[in-house]
Amino acid sequence: MKIAALAGGVGGARLAHGLSMGLALSGSAADLSVIVNIGDDFEHYGLRICPDLDTVCYTLAGIGSPQTGWGRQDESYRAAEAAEKLGGPAWFRLGDADLGTHLERTRRLREGHPLSQITADFCAAWGISCRVLPVSDQPVPTMVLTEDGELPFQEYFVHRQCQPVVKGFRFEGAAQSQPAPGVLEALNEADVVVFCPSNPWVSIDPILAVPGVRGALSRKPVAAVSPIISGKTVKGPAAKMYAELGIAPSALAVARHYRDLLAGFILDRMDECYIEELSRWGIIVNATQTIMAGAEGRIRLGCEVLEFCKAILNAQKESTA
Ligand code: GDP
Ligand code: CA
């Protein structure tokens, strides 16, 4: 079974890791392609930073920080401290080992290599056996429309710590962008597409905004895992964003967000109350423990999602038979 997963950073990386471990058990992790959000990408100290791509790659490579879920394990900050002492900006800190990634990526981008190729080469160097694809080789930066005006994503997310009240989002340059090489192929070849439990507004929507992605998805069964449990996020501003946009945050709101695309939806046992309504929409629903604690939690949910994907395919076969 071939799987294409759409992912942002922390929540996306955790499930992508679980799926890759689950597929490795039953056959081959090479059957997984992870299509990653690039809306958070920005320049800092003249370097190209791709937070979600790096979180996904570090996690899959087993070199990510288990404490934060982003950045690298056993990281030090000597370069950042030295730069800050000289008056450099301190609101976004890059670790020493992490800096190596940004230096080499920036060097290769300046030489004209596309981000997708650089990412593939980094993955090979890190020993990652599934495919990791930035959704586009062109920058498509997320702009957050707030009551304090329009803010670039990192300005909102890190510098302003998600404080400004959100009014909407804009994915700059999305209409002119193209999917990176391999993205449409991965979607077309997939038996099932999985939306990881990533932020629907600023992790999954920016992937869907790249022309061609929605079209490819509309021909595939899509299964999404809710990042919202009991109305709250495990981490990050997704629930706050729903509330500020006038939508009660819940697993149901996430399912409604993706409704036109969904064949299946996985929500937490705490949210079983929504199963009846979702079934009425014609969506296959599964309730399980969706919090991924440690590597065991990831592999458990990864395997459950793979079983769920098989169930969706079987249900579709039966309905066409
Ligand atoms: P970001 O780019 O680092 O913000 O990462 P994502 O958008 O991929 O993930 C953020 C979302 O992941 C948040 O809405 C969290 O609620 C969700 N999340 C993080 N860990 C877990 C988990 O273990 N289980 C589930 N279901 N969601 C999670
Ligand atoms: Ca992100």
Side-chain angles (χ1 to χ4, degrees):
M1 185 170 56
K2 284 196 187 298
I3 301 287
L6 271 49
V10 175
R14 284 183 178 152
L15 185 61
H17 194 204
L19 290 169
S20 80
M21 290 189 287
L23 283 168
L25 284 178
S26 62
S28 154
D31 286 341
L32 175 66
S33 298
V34 190
I35 299 168
V36 183
N37 172 42
I38 54 162
D40 301 18
D41 297 8
F42 72 122
E43 282 213 0
H44 197 53
Y45 282 98
L47 300 173
R48 190 81 192 152
I49 319 290
C50 306
D52 288 359
L53 263 183
D54 291 341
T55 297
V56 167
C57 289
Y58 292 160
T59 303
L60 288 169
I63 57 175
S65 162
Q67 285 82 33
T68 55
W70 49 268
R72 294 184 61 149
Q73 55 187 225
D74 304 321
E75 187 61 288
S76 56
Y77 289 88
R78 296 195 58 198
E81 280 158 19
E84 286 158 24
K85 192 148 190 200
L86 297 174
W91 63 271
F92 194 98
R93 286 194 121 196
L94 299 168
D96 294 331
D98 193 28
L99 259 177
T101 307
H102 312 313
L103 285 170
E104 175 58 5
R105 174 166 45 221
T106 305
R107 185 187 74 78
R108 288 198 51 190
L109 284 168
R110 297 232 165 103
E111 281 195 348
H113 298 260
L115 181 62
S116 54
Q117 184 58 52
I118 298 168
T119 304
D121 293 343
F122 286 9
C123 284
W126 284 321
I128 295 171
S129 38
C130 61
R131 263 195 300 176
V132 180
L133 300 158
V135 63
S136 178
D137 278 331
Q138 288 108 34
V140 185
T142 296
M143 304 297 288
V144 186
L145 316 178
T146 77
E147 286 183 350
D148 298 354
E150 191 171 88
L151 301 172
F153 183 76
Q154 297 298 345
E155 180 67 24
Y156 163 81
F157 191 71
V158 179
H159 205 179
R160 307 283 297 268
Q161 298 180 332
C162 308
Q163 288 303 318
V165 172
V166 163
K167 298 198 300 189
F169 306 92
R170 192 167 67 80
F171 309 119
E172 199 170 282
Q176 295 80 39
S177 71
Q178 285 124 38
V183 167
L184 294 184
E185 291 82 348
L187 293 173
N188 291 335
E189 285 169 14
D191 295 299
V192 181
V193 178
V194 173
F195 288 6
C196 290
S198 290
N199 187 315
W201 299 105
V202 294
S203 289
I204 303 295
D205 281 355
I207 299 177
L208 301 178
V210 173
V213 171
R214 265 184 183 273
L217 284 175
S218 66
R219 294 184 285 275
K220 294 290 169 177
V222 173
V225 180
S226 180
I228 295 193
I229 301 170
S230 276
K232 296 191 190 73
T233 51
V234 178
K235 205 186 141 277
K240 183 175 181 280
M241 288 171 170
Y242 272 106
E244 289 170 357
L245 293 165
I247 303 165
S250 67
L252 188 69
V254 174
R256 192 174 280 125
H257 200 113
Y258 301 136
R259 183 169 176 173
D260 56 334
L261 296 167
L262 283 190
F265 193 65
I266 295 184
L267 44 67
D268 200 87
R269 283 218 186 88
M270 316 261 278
D271 294 315
E272 280 176 342
C273 56
Y274 302 122
I275 293 179
E276 215 184 291
E277 168 138 22
L278 289 169
S279 305
R280 255 185 275 130
W281 298 359
I283 294 172
I284 305 173
V285 192
N286 189 29
T288 184
Q289 154 77 272
T290 62
I291 296 208
M292 292 168 274
E296 291 115 82
R298 290 178 198 169
I299 197 165
R300 180 193 45 76
L301 189 61
C303 289
E304 286 183 24
V305 171
L306 292 172
E307 284 307 310
F308 185 63
C309 290
K310 282 183 202 154
I312 291 175
L313 290 173
N314 285 336
Q316 292 199 334
K317 256 184 237 151
E318 273 166 32
S319 71
T320 52

